[in-house]
Amino acid sequence: EAQVTQNPRYLITVTGKKLTVTCSQNMNHEYMSWYRQDPGLGLRQIYYSMNVEVTDKGDVPEGYKVSRKEKRNFPLILESPSPNQTSLYFCASSLSGGGILTSYEQYFGPGTRLTVT
Amino acid sequence: RKEVEQDPGPFNVPEGATVAFNCTYSNSASQSFFWYRQDCRKEPKLLMSVYSSGNEDGRFTAQLNRASQYISLLIRDSKLSDSATYLCAVSFSGGYNKLIFGAGTRLAVHP
């Protein structure tokens, strides 16, 4: 089954304790992205990756890191989580990064609900 | 001003009603437009893409108005199962697949 998986689905942690949220897709997609979703603010892009070893900042990258060593995986790393990073996180992938006139459907993972106390 | 704006709702409608959502965007160079559906605490899923000529999929119709910079979603004969949050997404020109999402409009269909 074509899908995007995320782990863990739920996480409660304390300020400053490093954590990693994994994301994996089995559709051979080139493009992957991380979003956070907060009430009233919608989905905001944290980081994205056009392909292996190519990553770039989205709109809210502060406090996050990513890596793309393999096509299928795109982990999100919080080196020192803070309470303002409490949010619902989604990983997404699409066939490619598209172009000026092309945009492709993004497939989302099930989400990771993170609470930082 | 937000780049993509939606009325947060909620829209409370009875079964069988017709309901319409609008979504405005600020960047006139936007190229691609989508409606996603998000059930409570679940991931967004693509409902439909929005084309310049408008498009229809069963009870759902999407329209694009470039002059006024908005897209719309019309749902006819609402079902209880249509209850969800509807997110519009706009892709700006200039390259990669960056989608800007609206905050969503919540729809509640009641018996």
Side-chain angles (χ1 to χ4, degrees):
Chain A
E1 179 190 356
Q3 60 183 349
V4 179
T5 57
Q6 291 178 230
N7 281 292
R9 295 290 313 281
Y10 303 91
L11 179 59
I12 300 174
T13 190
V14 296
T15 298
K17 186 176 180 182
K18 181 180 178 179
L19 66 92
T20 299
V21 183
T22 64
C23 172
S24 183
Q25 50 92 6
N26 62 1
M27 296 172 278
N28 202 35
H29 283 171
E30 290 184 349
Y31 177 89
M32 297 185 76
S33 179
W34 275 102
Y35 296 89
R36 60 177 290 173
Q37 187 174 36
D38 302 290
L41 297 177
L43 286 158
R44 293 180 293 167
Q45 190 179 54
I46 302 170
Y47 268 94
Y48 66 95
S49 170
M50 297 285 278
N51 214 323
V52 175
E53 301 293 1
V54 182
T55 63
D56 210 343
K57 297 177 181 179
D59 297 314
V60 289
E62 294 76 22
Y64 305 95
K65 285 174 57 177
V66 293
S67 68
R68 188 94 182 271
K69 293 184 170 57
E70 305 166 282
K71 199 171 188 178
R72 63 184 294 128
N73 296 324
F74 190 45
L76 179 70
I77 303 156
L78 284 72
E79 294 271 2
S80 183
S82 62
N84 65 11
Q85 292 178 298
T86 292
S87 188
L88 178 58
Y89 291 86
F90 288 104
C91 180
S93 73
S94 69
L95 187 62
S96 85
I100 292 175
L101 297 178
T102 305
S103 191
Y104 294 100
E105 174 186 359
Q106 290 194 18
Y107 295 83
F108 285 82
T112 295
R113 188 166 292 278
L114 172 66
T115 302
V116 184
T117 62
Chain B
R1 182 188 172 189
K2 291 182 182 177
E3 292 177 284
V4 179
E5 292 198 77
Q6 296 182 249
D7 181 340
F11 284 55
N12 293 300
V13 303
E15 275 185 290
T18 294
V19 61
F21 308 134
N22 277 348
C23 167
T24 59
Y25 59 93
S26 61
N27 189 332
S28 60
S30 300
Q31 293 292 344
S32 301
F33 309 88
F34 306 90
W35 282 103
Y36 280 77
R37 171 191 168 128
Q38 185 175 25
D39 293 299
C40 188
R41 298 176 182 271
K42 297 276 186 73
E43 72 272 26
K45 292 184 179 179
L46 183 69
L47 179 66
M48 55 199 308
S49 302
V50 187
Y51 305 117
S52 295
S53 55
N55 45 305
E56 188 174 309
D57 182 3
R59 299 182 292 109
F60 299 84
T61 300
Q63 297 279 353
L64 167 63
N65 186 318
R66 284 192 184 273
S68 300
Q69 293 182 208
Y70 74 84
I71 61 174
S72 64
L73 177 68
L74 182 77
I75 305 176
R76 290 180 298 278
D77 188 23
S78 299
K79 311 289 185 191
L80 293 175
S81 57
D82 293 334
S83 297
T85 296
Y86 291 84
L87 309 173
C88 67
V90 177
S91 176
F92 295 102
S93 66
Y96 82 99
N97 196 10
K98 178 175 183 176
L99 288 183
I100 307 293
F101 285 85
T105 298
R106 195 155 65 87
L107 171 66
V109 182
H110 57 83

